Amino acid sequence: MRARLLQEARLGARYFGASLAATLLDIALFQLWIGHGAAAGIAAAIGYTSGLLLHYLLSRLAFASTRRGTAQIGELAGFVTTGVFGLALTTLGVQALALTGAPPLLAKFAMIPVNFCALYLLRRRLVFQRA
């Protein structure tokens, strides 16, 4: 039991690192697009989508995925599918918070823990379940 918890904590820490790197890219692009006058929802979608590719590549390392060929395509499809869910969650959440008067960056930061928890659980159970 203790070994299993330790293994899960290590996996969570590696996934957190991958998520942090992707989030930093996401926020940098979000700020760039906001600075150029884009709507908060559009800027959130652009940043999130860009971070998604980086996140997938780093998550393969975090979950020690060794899938190749067709299996890797299925893994990528699952990751993108959960990413689309996360994109919708982020875009709608940021736009809704911005419409209430919240500054766009604050709205973006408010959605980070929500998105992290939802996607970690989905990806751990559905995408990288064999890891």
Side-chain angles (χ1 to χ4, degrees):
M1 177 70 166
R2 182 175 175 199
R4 176 76 178 138
L5 288 175
L6 186 58
Q7 177 186 10
E8 196 66 35
R10 285 184 188 135
L11 180 60
R14 289 192 308 263
Y15 184 81
F16 178 80
S19 184
L20 179 61
T23 299
L24 291 173
L25 175 63
D26 177 352
I27 290 172
L29 292 174
F30 176 76
Q31 283 292 91
L32 178 73
W33 282 94
I34 288 290
H36 283 89
I42 297 298
I46 292 168
Y48 186 89
T49 302
S50 300
L52 184 64
L53 177 59
L54 177 62
H55 203 281
Y56 173 69
L57 296 172
L58 296 176
S59 290
R60 284 187 51 79
L61 298 172
F63 287 104
S65 177
T66 58
R67 294 182 179 138
R68 299 288 181 259
T70 305
Q72 186 177 359
I73 292 169
E75 178 185 90
L76 176 59
F79 196 89
V80 169
T81 299
T82 58
V84 169
F85 170 78
L87 174 61
L89 185 63
T90 295
T91 303
L92 293 173
V94 167
Q95 191 63 35
L97 289 170
L99 288 173
T100 68
L105 188 58
L106 180 61
K108 179 73 170 168
F109 278 117
M111 292 307 299
I112 289 171
V114 174
N115 205 324
F116 176 84
C117 291
L119 290 180
Y120 176 78
L121 292 172
L122 284 172
R123 289 174 175 158
R124 176 72 177 116
R125 300 295 173 219
L126 301 176
V127 179
F128 297 107
Q129 74 274 10
R130 290 181 26 209

